[in-house]
Coordinates of all heavy atoms in Angstrom, one line a residue:
M201 N 11.5 -45.4 22.7 CA 11.7 -44.0 22.7 C 10.6 -43.2 23.4 O 9.4 -43.5 23.2 CB 11.8 -43.6 21.2 CG 12.2 -42.1 21.0 SD 12.7 -41.9 19.3 CE 11.6 -40.6 18.8
E202 N 11.0 -42.2 24.2 CA 10.1 -41.5 25.0 C 9.4 -40.4 24.1 O 10.0 -39.7 23.3 CB 10.8 -40.7 26.1 CG 9.9 -40.0 27.0 CD 10.7 -39.4 28.2 OE1 11.7 -39.9 28.5 OE2 10.2 -38.4 28.7
K203 N 8.1 -40.4 24.2 CA 7.3 -39.4 23.4 C 7.4 -38.0 24.0 O 7.3 -37.9 25.3 CB 5.8 -39.9 23.3 CG 5.0 -39.0 22.4 CD 3.6 -39.6 22.4 CE 2.7 -38.8 21.4 NZ 1.4 -39.3 21.4
I204 N 7.6 -37.0 23.2 CA 7.6 -35.6 23.7 C 6.3 -34.9 23.3 O 5.9 -35.0 22.2 CB 8.8 -34.9 23.0 CG1 10.1 -35.5 23.4 CG2 8.8 -33.4 23.4 CD1 11.4 -34.9 22.8
D205 N 5.7 -34.3 24.4 CA 4.5 -33.6 24.1 C 4.7 -32.3 23.4 O 5.8 -31.8 23.3 CB 3.6 -33.4 25.4 CG 4.3 -32.4 26.3 OD1 5.0 -31.5 25.9 OD2 4.0 -32.6 27.6
G206 N 3.6 -31.7 22.9 CA 3.7 -30.4 22.1 C 4.4 -29.3 22.8 O 5.2 -28.5 22.2
S207 N 4.0 -29.1 24.1 CA 4.6 -28.0 24.8 C 6.1 -28.1 25.1 O 6.8 -27.2 25.0 CB 3.8 -27.7 26.1 OG 3.9 -28.9 27.0
T208 N 6.5 -29.4 25.3 CA 7.9 -29.6 25.5 C 8.7 -29.4 24.2 O 9.7 -28.8 24.2 CB 8.2 -31.1 26.0 OG1 7.5 -31.2 27.2 CG2 9.6 -31.3 26.2
N209 N 8.1 -29.9 23.1 CA 8.7 -29.7 21.8 C 8.8 -28.2 21.4 O 9.8 -27.7 20.9 CB 7.9 -30.4 20.7 CG 8.6 -30.7 19.5 OD1 9.8 -30.6 19.4 ND2 7.9 -30.9 18.4
S210 N 7.8 -27.4 21.7 CA 7.8 -26.0 21.5 C 8.9 -25.3 22.3 O 9.5 -24.4 21.9 CB 6.4 -25.3 21.9 OG 5.5 -25.7 20.9
F211 N 9.0 -25.7 23.6 CA 10.0 -25.1 24.4 C 11.4 -25.4 23.9 O 12.2 -24.4 23.8 CB 9.9 -25.8 25.8 CG 10.9 -25.2 26.8 CD1 10.7 -24.0 27.4 CD2 12.1 -25.9 27.1 CE1 11.6 -23.5 28.3 CE2 13.0 -25.3 28.0 CZ 12.8 -24.1 28.6
F212 N 11.7 -26.6 23.4 CA 13.0 -26.9 22.8 C 13.3 -26.1 21.5 O 14.3 -25.6 21.3 CB 13.2 -28.4 22.6 CG 13.4 -29.2 23.9 CD1 12.6 -30.3 24.1 CD2 14.4 -28.8 24.8 CE1 12.8 -31.0 25.3 CE2 14.6 -29.5 26.0 CZ 13.8 -30.7 26.2
L213 N 12.3 -26.0 20.7 CA 12.4 -25.3 19.4 C 12.6 -23.8 19.7 O 13.4 -23.2 19.1 CB 11.1 -25.5 18.6 CG 11.1 -24.8 17.2 CD1 12.3 -25.3 16.4 CD2 9.8 -25.2 16.5
T214 N 11.8 -23.2 20.6 CA 12.0 -21.8 21.0 C 13.4 -21.6 21.5 O 14.1 -20.6 21.1 CB 11.0 -21.4 22.1 OG1 9.7 -21.7 21.6 CG2 11.1 -19.9 22.4
N215 N 13.9 -22.4 22.4 CA 15.3 -22.2 22.9 C 16.3 -22.3 21.8 O 17.2 -21.4 21.8 CB 15.6 -23.3 23.9 CG 15.2 -22.9 25.3 OD1 15.1 -21.7 25.6 ND2 15.1 -23.9 26.2
A216 N 16.2 -23.2 20.9 CA 17.1 -23.3 19.7 C 17.1 -22.0 18.9 O 18.1 -21.5 18.5 CB 16.8 -24.5 18.9
L217 N 15.9 -21.5 18.6 CA 15.7 -20.3 17.8 C 16.3 -19.1 18.5 O 17.0 -18.3 17.9 CB 14.3 -20.0 17.5 CG 13.6 -21.0 16.5 CD1 12.1 -20.7 16.3 CD2 14.3 -21.0 15.2
K218 N 16.0 -19.0 19.8 CA 16.6 -17.8 20.6 C 18.1 -17.8 20.6 O 18.7 -16.8 20.5 CB 16.0 -17.9 22.0 CG 14.6 -17.3 22.2 CD 14.3 -17.2 23.6 CE 12.9 -16.5 23.8 NZ 12.6 -16.2 25.2
K219 N 18.7 -19.0 20.7 CA 20.1 -19.1 20.7 C 20.7 -18.6 19.4 O 21.7 -17.9 19.3 CB 20.6 -20.5 20.9 CG 20.5 -20.9 22.4 CD 20.9 -22.4 22.6 CE 20.7 -22.8 24.0 NZ 21.0 -24.2 24.3
R220 N 20.1 -18.9 18.3 CA 20.5 -18.5 16.9 C 20.4 -17.0 16.8 O 21.3 -16.3 16.3 CB 19.7 -19.1 15.8 CG 20.1 -20.6 15.6 CD 19.2 -21.2 14.6 NE 19.5 -22.6 14.3 CZ 18.9 -23.3 13.4 NH1 18.0 -22.7 12.6 NH2 19.2 -24.5 13.2
I221 N 19.3 -16.4 17.3 CA 19.0 -15.0 17.2 C 20.0 -14.2 18.0 O 20.6 -13.2 17.6 CB 17.6 -14.7 17.6 CG1 16.6 -15.3 16.6 CG2 17.3 -13.2 17.7 CD1 15.1 -15.3 17.0
V222 N 20.2 -14.7 19.3 CA 21.1 -14.0 20.2 C 22.6 -14.1 19.6 O 23.3 -13.1 19.7 CB 21.1 -14.6 21.6 CG1 22.2 -14.2 22.5 CG2 19.7 -14.3 22.2
R223 N 22.9 -15.2 19.0 CA 24.3 -15.3 18.5 C 24.5 -14.3 17.3 O 25.5 -13.6 17.3 CB 24.5 -16.7 17.9 CG 25.9 -17.1 17.7 CD 26.2 -18.5 17.4 NE 25.5 -19.4 18.3 CZ 24.7 -20.4 18.0 NH1 24.4 -20.7 16.7 NH2 24.1 -21.2 18.9
C224 N 23.5 -14.1 16.5 CA 23.5 -13.1 15.4 C 23.7 -11.7 16.0 O 24.5 -10.9 15.6 CB 22.3 -13.1 14.5 SG 22.3 -14.5 13.3
F225 N 22.8 -11.4 17.0 CA 22.8 -10.1 17.6 C 24.1 -9.8 18.3 O 24.7 -8.7 18.1 CB 21.7 -10.0 18.7 CG 21.6 -8.7 19.4 CD1 20.9 -7.7 18.8 CD2 22.1 -8.6 20.7 CE1 20.9 -6.4 19.4 CE2 22.0 -7.4 21.3 CZ 21.4 -6.3 20.7
N226 N 24.7 -10.7 19.1 CA 25.9 -10.5 19.8 C 27.1 -10.4 18.8 O 28.1 -9.8 19.2 CB 26.2 -11.6 20.8 CG 25.2 -11.5 22.0 OD1 24.7 -10.4 22.3 ND2 25.0 -12.6 22.7
N227 N 27.0 -11.0 17.7 CA 28.1 -10.9 16.7 C 28.1 -9.6 16.0 O 29.2 -9.2 15.4 CB 28.0 -12.1 15.6 CG 28.5 -13.4 16.2 OD1 29.2 -13.5 17.2 ND2 28.0 -14.5 15.6
I228 N 27.0 -8.9 15.9 CA 26.9 -7.7 15.2 C 27.0 -6.4 16.1 O 27.7 -5.5 15.8 CB 25.6 -7.6 14.4 CG1 25.4 -8.8 13.5 CG2 25.5 -6.3 13.6 CD1 26.5 -9.0 12.4
F229 N 26.2 -6.5 17.2 CA 26.1 -5.3 18.1 C 26.8 -5.5 19.4 O 26.9 -6.6 19.9 CB 24.6 -5.0 18.4 CG 23.8 -4.7 17.2 CD1 23.0 -5.6 16.5 CD2 23.9 -3.4 16.6 CE1 22.2 -5.3 15.4 CE2 23.1 -3.1 15.5 CZ 22.3 -4.0 14.9
K230 N 27.3 -4.3 19.9 CA 27.8 -4.3 21.3 C 26.6 -4.0 22.2 O 25.6 -3.5 21.8 CB 28.9 -3.2 21.4 CG 30.1 -3.4 20.6 CD 31.0 -2.2 20.7 CE 32.2 -2.4 19.7 NZ 33.0 -1.2 19.6
K231 N 26.8 -4.4 23.5 CA 25.7 -4.2 24.4 C 25.2 -2.8 24.5 O 24.0 -2.5 24.6 CB 26.1 -4.7 25.8 CG 26.2 -6.2 25.9 CD 26.5 -6.6 27.3 CE 26.6 -8.1 27.4 NZ 26.9 -8.5 28.8
E232 N 26.1 -1.8 24.4 CA 25.7 -0.4 24.5 C 25.1 0.2 23.2 O 24.6 1.3 23.2 CB 26.9 0.4 25.0 CG 28.1 0.4 24.1 CD 29.0 -0.7 24.3 OE1 28.8 -1.5 25.2 OE2 30.0 -0.7 23.6
E233 N 25.1 -0.6 22.1 CA 24.6 -0.1 20.8 C 23.2 -0.3 20.6 O 22.5 0.4 19.9 CB 25.4 -0.7 19.7 CG 26.8 -0.2 19.5 CD 27.5 -0.9 18.4 OE1 27.4 -2.1 18.2 OE2 28.2 -0.2 17.6
A234 N 22.7 -1.5 21.1 CA 21.3 -1.9 20.7 C 20.7 -2.8 21.8 O 21.4 -3.3 22.6 CB 21.4 -2.6 19.4
F235 N 19.4 -2.9 21.6 CA 18.6 -3.7 22.5 C 17.6 -4.5 21.7 O 17.0 -4.0 20.7 CB 17.8 -2.8 23.5 CG 17.2 -3.5 24.6 CD1 17.9 -4.0 25.6 CD2 15.8 -3.5 24.7 CE1 17.3 -4.6 26.7 CE2 15.2 -4.1 25.8 CZ 15.9 -4.7 26.8
L236 N 17.5 -5.8 22.0 CA 16.6 -6.7 21.2 C 15.5 -7.2 22.0 O 15.8 -7.8 23.1 CB 17.5 -7.8 20.6 CG 16.8 -8.7 19.6 CD1 16.4 -8.0 18.3 CD2 17.7 -9.9 19.2
L237 N 14.3 -7.1 21.6 CA 13.1 -7.6 22.3 C 12.4 -8.6 21.4 O 12.4 -8.5 20.2 CB 12.1 -6.4 22.6 CG 12.7 -5.3 23.4 CD1 11.7 -4.2 23.4 CD2 12.9 -5.8 24.9
C238 N 11.7 -9.6 22.1 CA 10.9 -10.5 21.4 C 9.5 -10.5 22.0 O 9.4 -10.2 23.2 CB 11.5 -11.9 21.3 SG 11.6 -12.7 22.9
W239 N 8.5 -10.9 21.3 CA 7.2 -11.1 21.9 C 6.5 -12.1 21.1 O 7.0 -12.8 20.3 CB 6.4 -9.7 21.9 CG 5.9 -9.3 20.6 CD1 4.6 -9.5 20.1 CD2 6.5 -8.5 19.6 NE1 4.4 -8.9 18.9 CE2 5.6 -8.3 18.6 CE3 7.8 -8.0 19.5 CZ2 5.9 -7.6 17.4 CZ3 8.1 -7.3 18.3 CH2 7.2 -7.1 17.3
G240 N 5.2 -12.3 21.5 CA 4.4 -13.4 20.8 C 4.8 -14.8 21.2 O 5.2 -15.0 22.3
S241 N 4.7 -15.7 20.3 CA 5.0 -17.1 20.6 C 6.5 -17.3 21.0 O 6.8 -18.2 21.8 CB 4.7 -18.0 19.4 OG 5.3 -17.6 18.3
L242 N 7.4 -16.5 20.5 CA 8.8 -16.6 20.9 C 9.0 -16.2 22.4 O 9.7 -16.9 23.1 CB 9.6 -15.7 20.0 CG 11.2 -15.8 20.2 CD1 11.6 -17.2 19.8 CD2 11.9 -14.7 19.4
S243 N 8.3 -15.2 22.9 CA 8.5 -14.8 24.3 C 7.7 -15.8 25.2 O 8.0 -15.9 26.4 CB 8.0 -13.4 24.5 OG 6.6 -13.3 24.3
R244 N 6.7 -16.4 24.7 CA 5.9 -17.4 25.5 C 6.4 -18.8 25.4 O 5.9 -19.7 26.0 CB 4.4 -17.4 25.0 CG 3.7 -16.1 25.3 CD 2.2 -16.3 25.0 NE 1.9 -16.8 23.6 CZ 1.8 -16.1 22.6 NH1 1.8 -14.8 22.6 NH2 1.5 -16.7 21.4
Y245 N 7.5 -19.0 24.7 CA 8.1 -20.4 24.5 C 7.1 -21.3 23.8 O 7.0 -22.5 24.2 CB 8.6 -21.0 25.8 CG 9.9 -20.3 26.2 CD1 9.9 -19.1 26.9 CD2 11.1 -20.9 25.8 CE1 11.1 -18.5 27.3 CE2 12.3 -20.3 26.2 CZ 12.3 -19.1 26.9 OH 13.5 -18.5 27.3
E246 N 6.4 -20.8 22.8 CA 5.3 -21.6 22.1 C 5.6 -21.6 20.6 O 4.7 -21.8 19.8 CB 4.0 -20.9 22.4 CG 3.5 -21.0 23.8 CD 2.2 -20.2 24.1 OE1 1.7 -19.5 23.2 OE2 1.6 -20.4 25.2
I247 N 6.8 -21.5 20.2 CA 7.2 -21.6 18.8 C 6.8 -23.0 18.2 O 7.1 -24.0 18.8 CB 8.7 -21.3 18.6 CG1 9.0 -19.8 18.8 CG2 9.1 -21.7 17.2 CD1 8.5 -18.9 17.7
G248 N 6.2 -22.9 17.0 CA 5.9 -24.2 16.3 C 6.5 -24.1 14.9 O 7.2 -23.1 14.6
P249 N 6.4 -25.2 14.2 CA 7.0 -25.2 12.8 C 6.7 -24.1 11.9 O 7.5 -23.7 11.1 CB 6.6 -26.5 12.3 CG 6.2 -27.4 13.4 CD 5.7 -26.4 14.5
F250 N 5.5 -23.5 12.0 CA 5.1 -22.4 11.1 C 4.9 -21.1 11.8 O 4.3 -20.2 11.3 CB 3.8 -22.8 10.4 CG 3.9 -24.1 9.6 CD1 3.4 -25.3 10.0 CD2 4.7 -24.1 8.4 CE1 3.6 -26.5 9.3 CE2 4.8 -25.2 7.6 CZ 4.3 -26.4 8.1
S251 N 5.5 -21.0 13.0 CA 5.4 -19.7 13.7 C 6.2 -18.6 13.1 O 7.3 -18.9 12.5 CB 5.8 -19.9 15.2 OG 5.0 -20.8 15.9
D252 N 5.8 -17.4 13.3 CA 6.6 -16.3 12.9 C 7.4 -15.8 14.1 O 7.2 -16.3 15.2 CB 5.8 -15.1 12.3 CG 4.8 -14.5 13.4 OD1 4.5 -15.2 14.4 OD2 4.4 -13.4 13.2
I253 N 8.5 -15.1 13.8 CA 9.4 -14.6 14.9 C 9.2 -13.1 14.9 O 9.5 -12.4 14.0 CB 10.8 -15.0 14.6 CG1 10.9 -16.5 14.5 CG2 11.8 -14.4 15.6 CD1 12.3 -17.0 14.0
D254 N 8.7 -12.6 16.1 CA 8.5 -11.2 16.3 C 9.6 -10.6 17.1 O 9.8 -11.0 18.2 CB 7.2 -11.0 17.0 CG 6.0 -11.6 16.3 OD1 5.9 -11.3 15.1 OD2 5.2 -12.3 16.9
L255 N 10.4 -9.7 16.5 CA 11.5 -9.0 17.1 C 11.4 -7.5 17.0 O 10.9 -7.0 16.0 CB 12.8 -9.5 16.5 CG 13.2 -10.9 16.5 CD1 14.4 -11.2 15.7 CD2 13.4 -11.4 17.9
I256 N 11.9 -6.8 18.0 CA 12.0 -5.4 17.9 C 13.5 -5.1 18.2 O 14.1 -5.5 19.2 CB 11.2 -4.6 19.0 CG1 9.7 -4.8 18.7 CG2 11.5 -3.1 19.0 CD1 8.8 -4.2 19.8
L257 N 14.1 -4.3 17.3 CA 15.5 -3.9 17.5 C 15.6 -2.4 17.7 O 15.1 -1.6 16.9 CB 16.3 -4.3 16.2 CG 17.8 -3.9 16.2 CD1 18.6 -4.6 17.2 CD2 18.4 -4.1 14.8
I258 N 16.0 -2.1 18.9 CA 16.1 -0.7 19.3 C 17.6 -0.3 19.3 O 18.4 -0.9 20.0 CB 15.5 -0.5 20.7 CG1 14.1 -0.9 20.7 CG2 15.7 1.0 21.2 CD1 13.4 -1.0 22.1
L259 N 17.9 0.8 18.5 CA 19.3 1.2 18.4 C 19.5 2.5 19.2 O 18.6 3.4 19.3 CB 19.6 1.5 17.0 CG 19.4 0.2 16.1 CD1 19.7 0.6 14.6 CD2 20.4 -0.9 16.5
K260 N 20.7 2.6 19.8 CA 20.9 3.8 20.7 C 21.1 5.0 19.8 O 20.6 6.1 20.2 CB 22.2 3.5 21.5 CG 22.6 4.7 22.4 CD 23.8 4.4 23.2 CE 24.2 5.6 24.0 NZ 25.4 5.4 24.7
D261 N 21.8 4.9 18.7 CA 22.0 6.1 17.8 C 22.1 5.7 16.4 O 22.1 4.5 16.0 CB 23.3 6.8 18.3 CG 24.5 5.9 18.2 OD1 24.7 5.1 17.3 OD2 25.3 6.0 19.2
K262 N 22.1 6.7 15.5 CA 22.1 6.4 14.1 C 23.3 5.8 13.6 O 23.3 5.1 12.5 CB 21.8 7.7 13.3 CG 20.4 8.2 13.5 CD 20.1 9.5 12.7 CE 18.7 9.9 12.9 NZ 18.4 11.1 12.0
A263 N 24.4 5.9 14.3 CA 25.7 5.3 13.9 C 25.5 3.7 13.8 O 26.2 3.1 13.0 CB 26.8 5.7 14.8
S264 N 24.7 3.2 14.6 CA 24.4 1.7 14.6 C 23.5 1.3 13.5 O 23.5 0.1 13.2 CB 23.8 1.3 16.0 OG 24.7 1.7 17.0
Y265 N 22.9 2.2 12.8 CA 21.9 1.8 11.7 C 22.6 1.0 10.6 O 22.1 0.1 10.0 CB 21.3 3.0 11.1 CG 20.2 3.7 11.9 CD1 20.1 3.4 13.3 CD2 19.3 4.5 11.3 CE1 19.1 4.0 14.0 CE2 18.3 5.1 12.1 CZ 18.2 4.9 13.4 OH 17.2 5.5 14.1
R266 N 23.9 1.3 10.4 CA 24.6 0.6 9.3 C 24.8 -0.9 9.6 O 25.1 -1.6 8.7 CB 26.0 1.3 9.0 CG 26.9 1.3 10.2 CD 28.2 2.1 10.0 NE 28.8 2.5 11.2 CZ 29.5 1.6 12.0 NH1 29.5 0.3 11.7 NH2 30.1 2.0 13.1
K267 N 24.6 -1.3 10.8 CA 24.8 -2.7 11.2 C 23.5 -3.5 11.0 O 23.5 -4.7 11.1 CB 25.3 -2.8 12.6 CG 26.7 -2.2 12.9 CD 27.1 -2.4 14.3 CE 28.5 -1.9 14.5 NZ 29.0 -2.2 15.8
I268 N 22.4 -2.8 10.7 CA 21.1 -3.6 10.6 C 21.2 -4.6 9.4 O 20.8 -5.7 9.6 CB 20.0 -2.6 10.4 CG1 19.7 -1.7 11.6 CG2 18.7 -3.3 10.0 CD1 18.7 -0.6 11.5
D269 N 21.8 -4.2 8.3 CA 21.9 -5.1 7.2 C 22.7 -6.3 7.5 O 22.4 -7.4 7.1 CB 22.5 -4.4 6.0 CG 21.5 -3.4 5.3 OD1 20.3 -3.6 5.5 OD2 22.0 -2.5 4.6
N270 N 23.8 -6.1 8.3 CA 24.6 -7.3 8.8 C 23.8 -8.2 9.7 O 23.9 -9.4 9.6 CB 25.8 -6.8 9.5 CG 26.8 -6.1 8.6 OD1 26.8 -6.2 7.4 ND2 27.6 -5.3 9.2
F271 N 23.0 -7.6 10.5 CA 22.1 -8.4 11.4 C 21.1 -9.2 10.6 O 20.9 -10.4 10.8 CB 21.4 -7.5 12.4 CG 20.5 -8.2 13.4 CD1 21.0 -9.2 14.3 CD2 19.2 -7.9 13.5 CE1 20.2 -9.8 15.2 CE2 18.4 -8.5 14.4 CZ 18.9 -9.5 15.2
L272 N 20.5 -8.6 9.7 CA 19.5 -9.2 8.8 C 20.1 -10.3 8.0 O 19.6 -11.4 7.8 CB 18.8 -8.3 7.9 CG 17.8 -7.4 8.6 CD1 17.2 -6.3 7.6 CD2 16.6 -8.2 9.2
S273 N 21.3 -10.1 7.5 CA 22.1 -11.1 6.7 C 22.3 -12.4 7.6 O 22.2 -13.5 7.1 CB 23.4 -10.6 6.2 OG 23.1 -9.6 5.2
C274 N 22.7 -12.1 8.8 CA 23.0 -13.2 9.7 C 21.7 -14.0 10.0 O 21.7 -15.2 9.9 CB 23.5 -12.7 11.0 SG 24.0 -14.0 12.2
L275 N 20.6 -13.3 10.2 CA 19.3 -14.0 10.4 C 18.9 -14.7 9.2 O 18.4 -15.9 9.3 CB 18.2 -12.9 10.8 CG 18.3 -12.3 12.2 CD1 17.2 -11.3 12.3 CD2 18.3 -13.3 13.3
H276 N 19.1 -14.2 8.0 CA 18.7 -14.9 6.8 C 19.5 -16.2 6.6 O 19.0 -17.2 6.2 CB 18.9 -14.0 5.6 CG 17.8 -13.0 5.3 ND1 16.6 -13.4 4.9 CD2 17.8 -11.7 5.4 CE1 15.8 -12.3 4.8 NE2 16.5 -11.3 5.1
S277 N 20.8 -16.1 7.0 CA 21.6 -17.3 6.9 C 21.2 -18.4 7.9 O 21.3 -19.6 7.6 CB 23.1 -17.0 7.1 OG 23.4 -16.7 8.5
K278 N 20.6 -18.0 9.1 CA 20.2 -19.0 10.1 C 18.8 -19.5 9.8 O 18.4 -20.6 10.2 CB 20.2 -18.3 11.5 CG 21.6 -17.8 11.9 CD 22.5 -18.9 12.2 CE 23.8 -18.2 12.8 NZ 24.9 -19.1 12.7
F279 N 17.9 -18.6 9.2 CA 16.5 -19.0 9.0 C 16.2 -18.8 7.5 O 15.6 -17.8 7.1 CB 15.6 -18.1 9.8 CG 15.9 -18.1 11.3 CD1 16.6 -17.0 11.8 CD2 15.6 -19.1 12.0 CE1 16.9 -17.0 13.2 CE2 15.9 -19.2 13.4 CZ 16.5 -18.1 14.0
K280 N 16.7 -19.6 6.7 CA 16.6 -19.5 5.2 C 15.2 -19.2 4.8 O 14.2 -19.9 5.1 CB 17.0 -20.8 4.6 CG 18.4 -21.3 5.0 CD 19.4 -20.9 4.0 CE 20.7 -21.5 4.2 NZ 21.7 -20.7 4.9
N281 N 15.1 -18.1 4.0 CA 13.8 -17.6 3.4 C 12.6 -17.5 4.4 O 11.5 -17.6 4.0 CB 13.4 -18.6 2.3 CG 14.4 -18.7 1.2 OD1 15.0 -17.7 0.8 ND2 14.6 -19.9 0.7
R282 N 13.0 -17.1 5.7 CA 11.9 -17.0 6.7 C 11.9 -15.7 7.4 O 11.2 -15.5 8.3 CB 12.0 -18.2 7.7 CG 12.0 -19.5 7.0 CD 11.5 -20.6 7.7 NE 10.3 -20.3 8.5 CZ 9.7 -21.3 9.1 NH1 10.0 -22.5 9.1 NH2 8.6 -21.0 9.8
V283 N 12.7 -14.7 6.9 CA 12.8 -13.5 7.6 C 12.2 -12.4 6.7 O 12.6 -12.2 5.6 CB 14.3 -13.1 7.9 CG1 14.4 -11.8 8.6 CG2 14.9 -14.2 8.8
D284 N 11.2 -11.7 7.2 CA 10.7 -10.5 6.6 C 10.9 -9.3 7.6 O 10.8 -9.5 8.8 CB 9.2 -10.6 6.4 CG 8.9 -11.7 5.3 OD1 9.6 -11.8 4.3 OD2 7.9 -12.4 5.5
L285 N 11.2 -8.2 7.0 CA 11.5 -7.0 7.9 C 10.4 -6.0 7.8 O 10.0 -5.6 6.6 CB 12.8 -6.4 7.4 CG 13.2 -5.1 8.1 CD1 13.4 -5.3 9.6 CD2 14.4 -4.5 7.5
L286 N 9.8 -5.5 8.9 CA 8.9 -4.4 9.0 C 9.7 -3.3 9.6 O 10.2 -3.5 10.7 CB 7.7 -4.8 9.8 CG 6.8 -5.9 9.2 CD1 5.7 -6.2 10.2 CD2 6.3 -5.6 7.9
E287 N 9.8 -2.2 9.0 CA 10.6 -1.1 9.6 C 9.7 0.1 10.0 O 8.6 0.3 9.4 CB 11.6 -0.5 8.5 CG 12.6 -1.5 8.1 CD 13.6 -0.9 7.2 OE1 14.4 0.0 7.6 OE2 13.6 -1.3 6.0
A288 N 10.1 0.7 11.1 CA 9.4 1.9 11.6 C 10.4 3.0 11.9 O 11.5 2.7 12.3 CB 8.5 1.6 12.8

């Protein structure tokens, strides 16, 4: 069996996480309603087993606010007990 180095492993883990996040986002929001940004280890493709996930959700108008709970519920289902929300 071929050994995978840490950076390759991080790249694969990051891709898998991004796919789950994007799937949740696309299931809840239309393209014209919201914009999703990531930074930190997620944007650098350096996610590890204990990394946090840094996201910014920008909404076009207040009508989209009601969908935030649905988005968080989807994330909670994909990342059991690993999602905390900081609101501004």
Side-chain angles (χ1 to χ4, degrees):
M201 183 162 124
E202 187 177 330
K203 186 177 181 180
I204 297 177
D205 66 31
S207 61
T208 302
N209 198 18
S210 290
F211 181 81
F212 287 129
L213 181 57
T214 302
N215 272 338
L217 291 176
K218 279 188 173 185
K219 285 179 185 178
R220 289 179 180 182
I221 293 166
V222 168
R223 198 172 309 129
C224 283
F225 180 79
N226 289 337
N227 285 338
I228 305 299
F229 296 101
K230 296 176 186 169
K231 286 183 181 180
E232 60 273 1
E233 289 181 315
F235 191 70
L236 187 64
L237 300 170
C238 66
W239 77 94
S241 56
L242 187 63
S243 66
R244 293 187 309 267
Y245 285 84
E246 296 175 348
I247 287 288
F250 299 103
S251 295
D252 63 339
I253 299 171
D254 301 311
L255 300 173
I256 296 176
L257 178 62
I258 301 171
L259 303 174
K260 181 179 177 184
D261 55 41
K262 290 184 179 183
S264 301
Y265 285 18
R266 59 184 163 73
K267 295 184 176 184
I268 293 173
D269 287 337
N270 294 339
F271 180 61
L272 287 174
S273 292
C274 184
L275 291 178
H276 280 292
S277 72
K278 304 287 184 201
F279 306 105
K280 305 267 190 257
N281 299 321
R282 303 208 45 173
V283 177
D284 293 321
L285 175 66
L286 299 175
E287 294 182 69

